[in-house]
Amino acid sequence: MDEIAVLIPCYNEEKTIEKVVSDFKRELPEAVIYVYNNNSTDNTAMLAAKAGAVVRNEYMQGKGNVIRRMFRDIDARCYIITDGDDTYPVESARKMIDFVLNKNADMVVGDRLSSTYFSENKRPFHNIGNSVVRKCINILFHNDIKDIMTGYRAFSYEFVKTFPILSKGFEIETEMSIHAVDKNMYVENVVIDYRDRPAGSVSKLNTYSDGMKVLKTILRLYRTYNPMGFFGIIAAILAIISAVFFIPVMREYVITGLVPDFPTLIVCGFTMIAAIQSFFAGMQLQTIVQKNRQDFEMNLQRVDNDKKRLMNL
């Protein structure tokens, strides 16, 4: 088991990867630095190896796939994950590691949005998207993570070995944040200075398509982690629609004793039945979610025992 593992997923980062690896080797000489090359067509892998990183390959394209492979392959007491584009300050790593190793944090978030992100980042729609995603998740999941989509984080062994990665691409950061909140893990925020990519380094993010994937991920995870809330909202909307159309029919019946709009009455009845079904579906799924959380706590104890065993080897 490594004491500290620095994980750098890379796709065509030859402009910056050598500097990123060298900076981490200088700041964290005791750490093992892993660069996972994700089908790069440039000299990323060669330059990373030249700088002293352990270079491995992941052939399934997408950041989520790379991180899944990293988390499976590597055992460490503390993991630092960062991007290979030299936008995150290596000087903040020591403070993030301290939270994991000495204060039992499960995830430490490198918070860009509370410092220089909005002034340094030259893509205005990325700024808006980050703010929208942060607000949505903090409202839906009742938490206060300062930067949902940052690529600079530190993790405990327990988090890494119990995190079921489903996302294939850049939605992975959102999934990490929601998993930590839902499983009541200890999350800390460390404010970091963000700098934009250097000249010649190109972002792999597509503002619109990746933004839509992130929003779909939030919706999917809200349905998965809080089915009572998700299906309860659907039930409430259906019940309101049914009531709005039923009231005029009921008023007409009270006044005249007649029901002239039978089709409306029938549709209102079916809509209310759908609302009731949605409500009880949410209740049943919430019971399953609660059972999964209990199973997760038992699995967490097993992972903790595995960690102790590895540390004693």
Side-chain angles (χ1 to χ4, degrees), residues 4 11-12 36 62 77 152 159 179 209 212 237 243-244 310:
I4 301 169
Y11 173 65
N12 289 346
Y36 273 63
R77 286 191 62 205
Y152 197 23
F159 181 98
H179 173 76
S209 63
M212 287 303 299
I237 292 172
V244 167
L310 286 168

Side-chain angles (χ1 to χ4, degrees), residues 161-174:
K161 297 306 181 182
T162 59
F163 175 40
I165 301 176
L166 301 178
S167 299
K168 298 178 181 179
F170 286 99
E171 321 91 272
I172 183 67
E173 282 95 0
T174 304

Side-chain angles (χ1 to χ4, degrees), residues 60-119:
M60 292 180 65
Q61 195 65 41
K63 188 174 183 179
N65 290 323
V66 180
I67 293 176
R68 181 187 296 112
R69 178 65 59 192
M70 288 174 159
F71 283 5
R72 286 178 184 174
D73 288 353
I74 299 165
D75 294 323
R77 286 191 62 205
C78 178
Y79 301 77
I80 287 280
I81 189 165
T82 187
D83 292 338
D85 55 11
D86 194 32
T87 56
Y88 298 115
V90 67
E91 295 78 16
S92 301
R94 188 68 67 182
K95 184 175 181 181
M96 297 167 71
I97 291 168
D98 181 64
F99 273 113
V100 174
L101 294 183
N102 300 319
K103 299 179 182 177
N104 297 322
D106 291 297
M107 181 173 75
V108 183
V109 174
D111 175 17
R112 310 160 297 169
L113 305 188
S114 298
S115 60
T116 56
Y117 183 79
F118 294 109
S119 59

Side-chain angles (χ1 to χ4, degrees), residues 112-113 117-118 124-141 143 145-149 174 178 207 211-212 214-216 218-219:
R112 310 160 297 169
L113 305 188
Y117 183 79
F118 294 109
F125 286 108
H126 284 207
N127 296 344
I128 295 169
N130 270 284
S131 299
V132 169
V133 169
R134 176 174 63 174
K135 181 65 72 173
C136 286
I137 290 180
N138 285 342
I139 290 173
L140 291 174
F141 293 91
N143 71 91
I145 295 178
K146 302 298 183 183
D147 190 348
I148 300 296
M149 299 180 67
T174 304
I178 293 175
T207 302
M212 287 303 299
V214 168
L215 292 176
K216 286 170 63 177
I218 294 172
L219 191 63

Side-chain angles (χ1 to χ4, degrees), residues 15 36 56 61 75 93 137 153 156 237 244 256 289 294:
K15 299 287 185 183
Y36 273 63
R56 295 175 180 173
Q61 195 65 41
D75 294 323
I137 290 180
R153 300 173 189 243
S156 67
I237 292 172
V244 167
T256 65
V289 167
Q294 293 172 352

